[in-house]
Amino acid sequence: YFFLDGFSELGELRPFLFIPFSFMFVVSLFANSLLVYVIVSQRSLHSPMYILIASMACIDLSLPVFFVPHMLLSFLFDWRGISLIGCLFQMYFIHLLGAFQSTLLLWMALDRYFAICTPLHYQEQMALARFLKFVIPFSIRNMFAVLVVVSLAGKLPFCLRNVINHCFCEHMALVELACGSTTINSLVGLISVFSVPVTDFFLITASYTVIFSSVLSSGKSSAKALHTCVTHIVVMTVSLTIILTAFLSYRIRNGLPAAIRIFFSILYLFFPSCFNPIIYGIRTKEI
């Protein structure tokens, strides 16, 4: 049995964290639900690009549900306890949905590539049967990578400490409490980061490089093409910057306060859920 003790340094001010995080939670639920409703209810938006945006909204809607309610109760009523099974369950779905956030950005980049670079074959390439060849391998990769990380964490011996200095069951925060060697866990965690979000980032970058090269060389529809891509690039840049900052804050400490590390870890999961539906709603004219 573990106790989630994030932001304990704030003492009596800790309960006041309920206010900003509960506001962000409501914004996330409302904005993503509204975005999904608009796309589902409008037949004109039933095209691959908008279906992918709706899928991102579903991920952003689901992700906070796995950790924010428990975190808010912890702030308000000091309910900090969680079992090892509950912790591993929470960890699996948090990291799995987080992995799919970056993978969805990759699928969006592929959608824009087919729409701009091969417009005559767009409907053919984005047909479900064709597009599944991009969906299935990356989905299996995400599930396998997260399952390995969580399984290895569950096999560690915990014997001395049971206070997790975090607001949810983040991988490295739990691993730090183990009695034995955690070298393999740190290595596998590092490999999973490079095999999922970093790999997605390089593939996305390659896709947009080809897109921009094609647009600039043809000189046609450049403004429209750039507009449809910039929204995805803004979301990708913000998301991956926060993810890498949170990841590095646990491995390059240099006296970094625990509260700052916890804040970045919460931010990389929570902020995109609030930011993405707003930026897609504002920048996508049809929505």
Side-chain angles (χ1 to χ4, degrees):
Y1 204 75
F2 297 92
F3 293 93
L4 296 165
D5 199 37
F7 296 115
S8 58
E9 304 90 343
L10 298 180
E12 294 181 355
L13 295 176
R14 189 175 184 270
F16 288 99
L17 291 173
F18 176 85
I19 297 171
F21 283 117
S22 61
F23 175 75
M24 289 178 68
F25 188 47
V26 171
V27 168
S28 172
L29 294 179
F30 175 75
N32 286 294
S33 298
L34 182 60
L35 184 58
V36 171
Y37 171 75
V38 168
I39 293 172
V40 170
S41 63
Q42 300 297 315
R43 293 184 62 86
S44 61
L45 300 179
H46 292 182
S47 62
M49 184 178 81
Y50 302 109
I51 291 170
L52 287 171
I53 291 175
S55 301
M56 177 66 84
C58 289
I59 294 290
D60 291 337
L61 182 66
S62 305
L63 183 54
V65 172
F66 284 99
F67 74 97
V68 174
H70 189 282
M71 184 176 72
L72 294 178
L73 290 173
S74 171
F75 292 152
L76 204 57
F77 302 112
D78 209 33
W79 294 353
R80 308 189 189 199
I82 189 168
S83 66
L84 178 60
I85 296 297
C87 189
L88 295 174
F89 178 85
Q90 187 187 66
M91 185 191 301
Y92 178 78
F93 283 100
I94 286 173
H95 289 295
L96 180 65
L97 293 172
F100 272 105
Q101 280 183 327
S102 71
T103 303
L104 265 165
L105 290 171
L106 172 59
W107 292 336
M108 289 175 177
L110 288 173
D111 169 76
R112 292 299 83 204
Y113 169 78
F114 292 134
I116 295 169
C117 297
T118 59
L120 297 178
H121 302 285
Y122 175 69
Q123 294 299 332
E124 180 186 346
Q125 293 289 350
M126 292 303 294
L128 182 60
R130 279 287 189 92
F131 199 66
L132 281 176
K133 68 184 180 183
F134 299 108
V135 172
I136 293 174
F138 286 104
S139 299
I140 293 172
R141 177 203 64 176
N142 291 355
M143 289 186 284
F144 179 75
V146 176
L147 184 62
V148 170
V149 169
V150 174
S151 299
L152 288 174
K155 292 179 179 179
L156 289 171
F158 300 97
C159 50
L160 297 176
R161 298 175 295 163
N162 68 337
V163 177
I164 301 174
N165 193 13
H166 215 300
C167 294
F168 62 89
C169 286
E170 202 272 339
H171 174 244
M172 287 307 298
L174 178 66
V175 167
E176 285 178 342
L177 303 182
C179 302
S181 172
T182 60
T183 304
I184 293 177
N185 299 80
S186 297
L187 181 61
V188 171
L190 190 65
I191 292 170
S192 69
V193 167
F194 278 95
S195 65
V196 180
V198 174
T199 299
D200 290 348
F201 173 77
F202 283 117
L203 292 173
I204 291 166
T205 303
S207 299
Y208 284 121
T209 301
V210 173
I211 289 170
F212 288 142
S213 298
S214 174
V215 169
L216 293 173
S217 61
S218 66
K220 297 178 181 180
S221 304
S222 58
K224 183 178 178 181
L226 290 174
H227 183 80
T228 58
C229 294
V230 165
T231 303
H232 296 326
I233 293 171
V234 169
V235 170
M236 176 194 73
T237 304
V238 171
S239 300
L240 291 180
T241 300
I242 296 173
I243 287 171
L244 292 176
T245 302
F247 175 78
L248 292 173
S249 70
Y250 263 93
R251 286 159 177 81
I252 307 173
R253 297 185 176 247
N254 294 330
L256 195 66
I260 299 297
R261 294 200 309 272
I262 295 167
F263 175 73
F264 276 116
S265 292
I266 295 173
L267 200 64
Y268 95 78
L269 293 176
F270 206 5
F271 183 75
S273 296
C274 300
F275 176 77
N276 291 353
I278 294 171
I279 196 71
Y280 281 123
I282 290 172
R283 287 192 55 83
T284 309
K285 180 181 176 182
E286 292 79 4
I287 293 175

